[in-house]
């Protein structure tokens, strides 16, 4: 039996003044706005109370000048302060507007089509394109795709289906050989992957215990979703090791809420990155491209998912020499945007097709990607081993 | 600030004197008011009460032309009384119908033994918190007594909120060990 006396911080409630001083009156963090608010409130109450008690009249003979100056100064301060704030805000707004406009103009490439929504895939081999309208009808009846109007307009002039979804700018960049893989597989090559907005929390009172509990919940859910964890004999690559699972916290995007990384070695192993939504760790997602060049929403789950040393970046690498690998950027609000993508047939930069090639058995193209991937540098995390027997 | 210093400053510029006094004792008054109202009032109620306290202090000076005796003691007393009045007002407005009877009963049947034990517990807890050393003791008080969030604490200590959470977690663990050595167990509801 536990006969220890219970004690809590509530014991400090209703302390006497000496105890309060011992606790530390200076420990209270009163920010500038609160201080201003309270001072203003105090002076209002003071003025009202003075009038009510008639103190201003009583002290007229001695303090009339001072009393007037108090009122005067307060009114003067009120008028002057908003004036400065007004000028400051106007200046800041003007500067921000100018800088923002310049940045927007610099970032916006003239040949970039305006895509308002992610484009779904077309898998038909003979698509006919209607002009100027945002629908494409596939004659093979395999798929119907909705494409943003801006892309469609430029595509409308194309003579063949291979180029039907390729903008003029894209065509000029390509060599003749490019059509080999494109034939029979019209793709969403002209699309630019939009940033995917993942769940995010603005809570600032999150405790480490809360995060620990959420991490364990995510781990347990992962284990429950994969029956193989219950059979350690199938663990690979070395079945004698059994299944191992570990997790780590790391704040990728510097929003002070750490992301959760999980790794295990079951069935060749997998890695995961989760974001915290205020209650739970949930799988993060992003708009990427699959092996067929179609834009799809993908999860941050692959053989390798790692935080890079470079700020706000993570890397993901698939099995078999990186059949599909990514370098991703994570914004402060948990939005994820692909910086570089590699697949066996195509590579992408900033969500846009940068190169198309036939599969290189020697993985030469992957080698180029890998060099860049490695240049980001893996960040060492503090891994916590999870005891699978607990589940 | 002493009574004399305030008077001299007030004679030259009353508003400046009042603002200086406000700034010097804001933390003190806020802590006293917070201590009384933390269980029943919102932060707006606490700020309102702080305004009442300083207004009363300024009025007190205007009426008598001086602060009688110890300035800090006077401010502490006014803060304490004003906070108790506010507490009664707030509790009366809540659903607690029998608060007046309850208060009277508490006053009448003051349990000396219970108060003594409570005082020992308070002192033990504060002693152990202080033994954690800086900044852990401050973080624990700010987190669990003043209910500040990690970001507010982080701003005060030039740390990241994540570091504050980590330190707080470790300090709490250590505090639990220290309490266990003294024969106490931390109430889970307080964490």
């Amino acid at each position: 039996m536990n006969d220890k006396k219970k004690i809590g911080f509530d014991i400090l409630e209703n302390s006497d003044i000496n105890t309060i001083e011992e606790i530390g009156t200076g420990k209270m963090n009163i920010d500038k706005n609160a201080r201003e608010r309270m001072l203003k409130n105090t002076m209002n109450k003071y003025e009202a109370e003075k009038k009510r008690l008639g103190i201003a009249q009583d002290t007229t003979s001695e303090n009339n000048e001072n009393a007037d100056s108090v009122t005067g100064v307060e009114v003067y301060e009120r008028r002057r302060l908003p004036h400065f704030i007004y000028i400051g805000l106007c200046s800041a707004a003007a500067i921000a507007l100018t800088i923002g406009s310049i940045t927007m103009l610099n970032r916006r490439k003239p040949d970039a089509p305006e895509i308002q929504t992610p484009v779904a895939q077309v898998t038909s081999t003979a698509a006919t394109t209607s002009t100027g309208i945002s629908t494409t009808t596939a004659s093979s009846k395999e798929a119907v795709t909705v494409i943003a109007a801006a892309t469609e307009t430029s595509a409308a002039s194309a003579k063949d289906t291979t180029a039907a979804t390729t903008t003029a700018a894209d065509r000029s960049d390509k060599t003749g050989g490019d059509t080999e893989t494109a034939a029979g597989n019209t793709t969403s090559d002209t699309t630019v992957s939009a940033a995917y907005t993942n769940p995010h929390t603005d809570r600032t009172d999150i405790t480490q215990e809360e995060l620990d509990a959420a991490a364990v919940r995510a781990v347990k859910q992962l284990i429950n979703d994969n029956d193989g964890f219950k059979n350690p004999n199938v663990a690979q690559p070395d079945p004698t090791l059994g299944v191992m699972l570990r997790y780590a916290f790391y704040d990728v995007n510097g929003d002070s809420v750490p992301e959760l990384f999980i790794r295990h070695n079951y069935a060749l192993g997998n890695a995961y990155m989760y974001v915290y939504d205020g209650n739970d760790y949930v799988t993060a997602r992003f708009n990427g491209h699959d092996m067929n060049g179609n834009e799809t929403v993908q999860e941050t789950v692959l053989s390798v998912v790692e935080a890079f040393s470079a700020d706000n970046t993570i890397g993901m690498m698939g099995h078999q020499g990186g059949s599909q690998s990514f370098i991703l950027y994570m914004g402060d609000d948990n939005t994820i945007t692909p910086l570089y993508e590699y697949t066996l047939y195509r590579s992408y930069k900033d969500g846009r097709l940068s190169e198309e090639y036939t599969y290189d058995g020697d993985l030469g193209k992957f080698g180029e990607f890998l060099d860049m991937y490695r240049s980001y540098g893996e960040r060492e995390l503090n891994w916590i081993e999870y005891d699978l027997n607990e589940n | 600030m002493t009574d004399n210093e305030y008077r001299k400053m007030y004679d030259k510029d009353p508003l400046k004197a009042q603002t200086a006094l406000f700034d010097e004792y804001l933390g003190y008054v806020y802590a006293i008011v917070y201590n009384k109202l933390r269980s029943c009032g919102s932060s707006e109620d606490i700020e309102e009460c702080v305004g009442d306290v300083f207004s009363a202090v300024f009025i007190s000076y205007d009426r008598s032309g001086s602060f009688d005796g110890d300035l800090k003691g006077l401010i502490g007393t006014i803060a304490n009384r004003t906070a108790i009045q506010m507490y009664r007002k707030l509790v009366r407005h809540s659903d607690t119908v029998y608060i007046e009877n309850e208060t009277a009963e508490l006053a009448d049947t003051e349990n000396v033994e219970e108060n003594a034990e409570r005082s020992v517990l308070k002192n033990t807890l504060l002693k152990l918190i202080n033994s954690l050393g800086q900044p852990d003791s401050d973080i624990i008080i700010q987190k669990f007594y003043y209910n500040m969030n990690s970001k507010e604490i982080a701003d005060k200590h030039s740390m990241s909120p994540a570091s504050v959470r980590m330190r707080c977690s470790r300090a709490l663990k250590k505090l639990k060990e220290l309490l266990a050595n003294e024969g106490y167990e931390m109430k889970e509801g307080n964490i």
Side-chain angles (χ1 to χ4, degrees):
Chain A
M1 288 290 287
N2 187 358
D3 57 352
K4 286 182 177 173
K5 286 181 185 173
K6 298 262 184 186
I7 190 169
F9 291 100
D10 55 350
I11 195 73
L12 300 177
E13 271 185 47
N14 284 325
S15 299
D16 55 41
I17 291 178
N18 290 337
T19 311
I20 290 168
E21 285 210 66
E22 202 182 334
I23 290 168
T25 56
K27 288 185 173 66
M28 172 51 72
N29 188 24
I30 300 166
D31 65 36
K32 205 178 168 185
N33 289 338
R35 180 252 178 206
E36 292 294 327
R37 232 176 13 245
M38 284 188 278
L39 181 59
K40 189 178 169 187
N41 190 21
T42 296
M43 297 319 290
N44 287 341
K45 283 173 182 287
Y46 170 60
E47 290 299 329
E49 189 68 6
K50 241 182 11 171
K51 276 183 191 164
R52 193 178 72 80
L53 296 172
I55 289 177
Q57 282 72 32
D58 292 344
T59 56
T60 300
S61 57
E62 288 176 20
N63 295 325
N64 190 28
E65 193 181 330
N66 289 335
D68 287 342
S69 70
V70 170
T71 308
V73 169
E74 191 185 13
V75 173
Y76 178 65
E77 287 289 339
R78 279 181 185 170
R79 285 178 184 168
R80 193 174 59 174
L81 195 60
H83 182 63
F84 278 115
I85 291 171
Y86 177 74
I87 291 173
L89 285 174
C90 286
S91 307
I95 292 166
L97 195 64
T98 310
I99 293 171
S101 304
I102 292 168
T103 310
M104 286 282 287
L105 288 171
N106 284 342
R107 281 189 177 181
R108 185 175 170 172
K109 295 180 181 176
D111 60 341
E114 293 281 346
I115 304 296
Q116 292 179 347
T117 55
V119 178
Q121 61 267 34
V122 173
T123 54
S124 69
T125 55
T128 53
T129 309
S130 59
T131 57
I133 305 170
S134 63
T135 56
T136 302
T137 310
S139 59
S140 66
K141 298 178 183 176
E142 283 186 49
V144 175
T145 300
V146 178
I147 298 179
T151 308
E152 199 65 23
T153 305
S154 63
S157 61
K159 300 290 183 188
D160 60 271
T161 56
T162 302
T165 57
T166 308
T167 61
D170 285 335
R171 280 202 301 276
S172 65
D173 291 341
K174 286 182 180 176
T175 59
D178 289 343
T179 54
E180 184 184 338
T181 52
N185 185 21
T186 45
T187 69
S188 56
D189 294 343
T190 58
T191 64
V192 178
S193 299
Y196 190 97
T197 306
N198 286 292
H200 179 254
T201 179
D202 291 324
R203 283 181 55 200
T204 52
D205 59 343
I206 305 166
T207 62
Q208 189 59 45
E209 286 80 7
E210 209 176 325
L211 295 177
D212 288 337
V216 169
R217 281 200 301 276
V219 166
K220 286 186 173 176
Q221 184 64 46
L222 179 66
I223 293 168
N224 286 334
D225 291 346
N226 292 275
D227 290 339
F229 279 105
K230 291 155 194 164
N231 179 11
N233 294 327
V234 299
Q236 295 182 47
D238 183 354
T240 59
L241 291 173
V243 182
M244 290 188 293
L245 189 148
R246 55 188 183 159
Y247 63 93
F249 296 103
Y250 177 67
D251 187 3
V252 174
N253 54 355
D255 65 348
S256 81
V257 182
E259 277 63 55
L260 174 70
F261 290 80
I262 302 180
R263 286 182 184 175
H264 63 74
N265 67 341
Y266 163 64
L268 288 175
N270 243 355
Y272 309 75
M273 188 191 81
Y274 293 76
V275 292
Y276 193 65
D277 68 359
N279 292 309
D280 290 301
Y281 272 109
V282 295
T283 310
R285 294 184 170 84
F286 63 97
N287 291 318
H289 292 86
D290 65 13
M291 297 279 277
N292 295 320
N294 300 316
E295 185 172 294
T296 55
V297 175
Q298 309 213 15
E299 297 188 334
T300 49
V301 180
L302 218 52
S303 306
V304 174
V305 178
E306 58 193 346
F308 281 141
S309 295
D311 289 343
N312 293 71
T313 51
I314 57 171
M316 293 174 49
M317 193 167 287
H319 286 303
Q320 299 167 356
S323 52
Q324 206 182 1
S325 298
F326 304 89
I327 297 172
L328 305 171
Y329 179 85
M330 190 170 187
D332 295 348
D333 53 355
N334 287 357
T335 52
I336 297 184
T337 318
L339 297 177
Y340 294 96
E341 297 172 70
Y342 167 87
T343 68
L344 293 182
Y345 307 110
R346 296 167 193 82
S347 57
Y348 301 82
K349 183 175 184 299
D350 296 328
R352 189 192 306 275
L353 179 71
S354 61
E355 202 175 355
E356 215 168 351
Y357 35 78
T358 50
Y359 174 58
D360 178 358
D362 294 332
L363 298 175
K365 288 292 177 191
F366 178 67
E368 289 172 21
F369 177 84
L370 191 59
D371 288 343
M372 184 170 58
Y373 187 97
R374 283 180 176 153
S375 71
Y376 279 82
E378 183 188 358
R379 184 179 287 271
E380 204 54 48
L381 304 184
N382 295 320
W383 293 97
I384 301 163
E385 295 292 337
Y386 181 80
D387 183 1
L388 286 160
N389 295 323
E390 280 183 14
N391 213 46
Chain B
M1 182 185 279
T2 62
D3 187 356
N4 265 342
E5 284 167 347
Y6 181 79
R7 189 183 303 120
K8 280 179 191 169
M9 206 186 284
Y10 188 93
D11 288 344
K12 285 181 187 170
D13 186 342
L15 182 64
K16 198 177 169 186
Q18 288 164 342
T19 307
L21 185 138
F22 178 88
D23 285 335
E24 182 162 340
Y25 288 102
L26 177 60
Y28 181 62
V29 169
Y30 197 103
I32 294 169
V33 172
Y34 184 90
N35 181 61
K36 293 285 177 209
L37 303 184
R38 67 201 297 261
S39 58
C40 62
S42 65
S43 59
E44 286 79 18
D45 293 328
I46 292 169
E47 288 187 9
E48 187 76 14
C49 189
V50 168
D52 287 339
V53 171
F54 279 107
S55 171
V57 171
F58 298 155
I59 291 288
S60 168
Y61 181 84
D62 286 353
R63 293 179 104 174
S64 61
S66 69
F67 293 117
D68 291 331
D70 176 28
L71 179 56
K72 189 175 179 182
L74 176 78
I75 291 173
T77 305
I78 291 177
N80 223 4
R81 286 179 183 168
T82 312
I84 289 170
Q85 282 170 9
M86 176 71 104
Y87 173 84
R88 286 179 177 160
K89 196 171 111 187
L90 288 170
V91 173
R92 200 176 297 137
H93 286 165
S94 73
D95 295 332
T96 314
V97 180
Y98 304 107
I99 182 65
E100 295 297 343
N101 296 339
E102 201 174 302
T103 312
E105 191 184 338
L106 281 173
D108 291 340
T109 59
E110 194 175 57
N111 189 330
V112 177
E113 192 183 343
E114 198 176 300
N115 281 349
E117 190 183 3
R118 193 175 164 81
S119 178
V120 170
L121 284 174
K122 264 183 205 173
N123 291 339
T124 306
L125 184 60
L126 283 174
K127 184 188 78 182
L128 295 178
I129 290 172
N130 286 332
S131 74
L132 295 171
Q134 296 283 359
D136 291 355
S137 57
D138 278 3
I139 289 174
I140 288 285
I141 288 289
Q142 285 160 354
K143 179 89 182 172
F144 296 103
Y145 181 71
Y146 287 119
N147 286 333
M148 287 188 211
N149 62 39
S150 299
K151 191 174 183 308
E152 288 168 337
I153 300 172
D155 290 344
K156 204 167 167 61
H157 293 277
S158 305
M159 288 179 184
S160 70
S163 305
V164 168
R165 279 196 291 273
M166 199 64 79
R167 283 202 89 111
C168 189
S169 178
R170 287 178 190 152
L172 195 63
K173 196 177 166 190
K174 197 174 168 189
L175 182 62
K176 280 182 187 173
E177 288 169 9
L178 293 171
L179 283 168
N181 292 341
E182 298 275 338
Y184 295 103
E185 187 182 15
M186 180 71 84
K187 280 185 199 169
E188 290 300 321
N190 280 268
I191 300 166

